[in-house]
Amino acid sequence: MRQNPERRAALLDAAIDVLAREGSRGLTLRAVDAEAGVPTGTASNYFANRAQLLVQILHRTRERLTPDPADLSGDLDTKELLARLLERMRRERSVHIAMLELRLEGIRRPELQSELAEFQREELEANIAWHLEAGLPGDRQGVVLLYLAMLGLIVDDLTAPAMLDAYPTEHLIDTMVERLLPHSRRP
């Protein structure tokens, strides 16, 4: 397998775009080559098979969605952080749609489901730990509830944004935070 990290990242970015646009059935190594503008067969030099490609797409999404450390410094406010998350999701729409496709593909592929479940568990635990260590309001349970509420908001914003036209997302985020996280951390 080839080891050029820049080429691998470009192929994975192309795969994310294909997955988001065409769905899981449209994701082939040949389609990735075409999307990346590289000769046919290039992706097969980097990924042994489609299953390996799916797992590596999962990990590439983490790299692309990890916030800039500057966005997580200074005076932190949960509402502002969630607004930035939604803004980042809209900016990286294809990455989030690809993640939804991976979730659906995980239903059909037990090996991907296992990898996906562990990946998501790690992400959730890291988010909970970061939230609590940052001294933001709320406890572990509240952060999990907020995660689930934001996930629903993100899925609806990605898949049926007109549904939320009557409910400005800024107000939804404010209400979620106020109702799910107490103003001071519980012991």
Side-chain angles (χ1 to χ4, degrees):
M1 289 287 113
R2 301 279 173 130
Q3 297 301 318
N4 179 332
E6 292 82 18
R7 173 63 62 94
R8 180 179 297 278
L11 289 167
L12 288 169
D13 289 341
I16 287 169
D17 290 341
V18 170
L19 186 59
R21 187 180 60 248
E22 305 294 330
S24 181
R25 290 184 183 206
L27 181 67
T28 64
L29 294 173
R30 186 177 294 255
V32 172
D33 288 337
E35 183 73 21
V38 298
T40 300
T42 302
S44 63
N45 289 325
Y46 285 84
F47 313 104
N49 52 47
R50 189 171 179 280
Q52 185 186 68
L53 175 63
L54 289 168
V55 169
Q56 290 199 28
I57 289 170
L58 181 64
H59 294 283
R60 178 66 177 153
T61 62
R62 176 182 284 158
E63 293 170 12
R64 290 204 30 201
L65 295 177
T66 299
D68 184 321
D71 288 341
L72 302 176
S73 61
D75 229 5
L76 300 174
D77 173 77
T78 305
K79 293 175 186 178
E80 177 62 28
L81 289 170
L82 294 177
R84 290 180 196 170
L85 169 66
L86 190 60
E87 178 185 309
R88 199 167 55 250
M89 179 276 301
R90 289 173 175 160
R91 195 173 53 245
E92 292 281 357
R93 191 171 197 282
S94 64
V95 180
H96 287 276
I97 291 172
M99 277 299 300
L100 291 175
E101 289 288 343
L102 287 171
R103 284 173 175 240
L104 293 171
E105 187 67 13
I107 294 168
R108 296 177 282 281
R109 294 177 171 267
E111 70 282 1
L112 180 60
Q113 177 60 34
S114 174
E115 183 84 20
L116 186 61
E118 184 59 30
F119 177 88
Q120 290 175 300
R121 189 175 14 264
E122 288 173 9
E123 288 292 303
L124 178 58
E125 289 302 321
N127 284 328
I128 294 167
W130 183 87
H131 184 98
L132 297 176
E133 289 168 11
L136 293 167
D139 59 7
R140 182 176 184 75
Q141 183 91 1
V143 176
V144 172
L145 291 171
L146 191 60
Y147 165 85
L148 294 170
M150 277 302 293
L151 181 60
L153 175 65
I154 287 170
V155 168
D156 285 345
D157 194 89
L158 283 170
T159 60
M163 181 183 89
L164 298 175
D165 284 349
Y167 306 96
T169 54
E170 179 180 312
H171 297 302
L172 292 173
I173 289 172
D174 288 351
T175 303
M176 278 192 279
V177 171
E178 289 168 9
R179 292 185 183 180
L180 296 174
L181 299 180
H183 291 289
S184 61
R185 183 183 284 170
R186 293 181 200 162

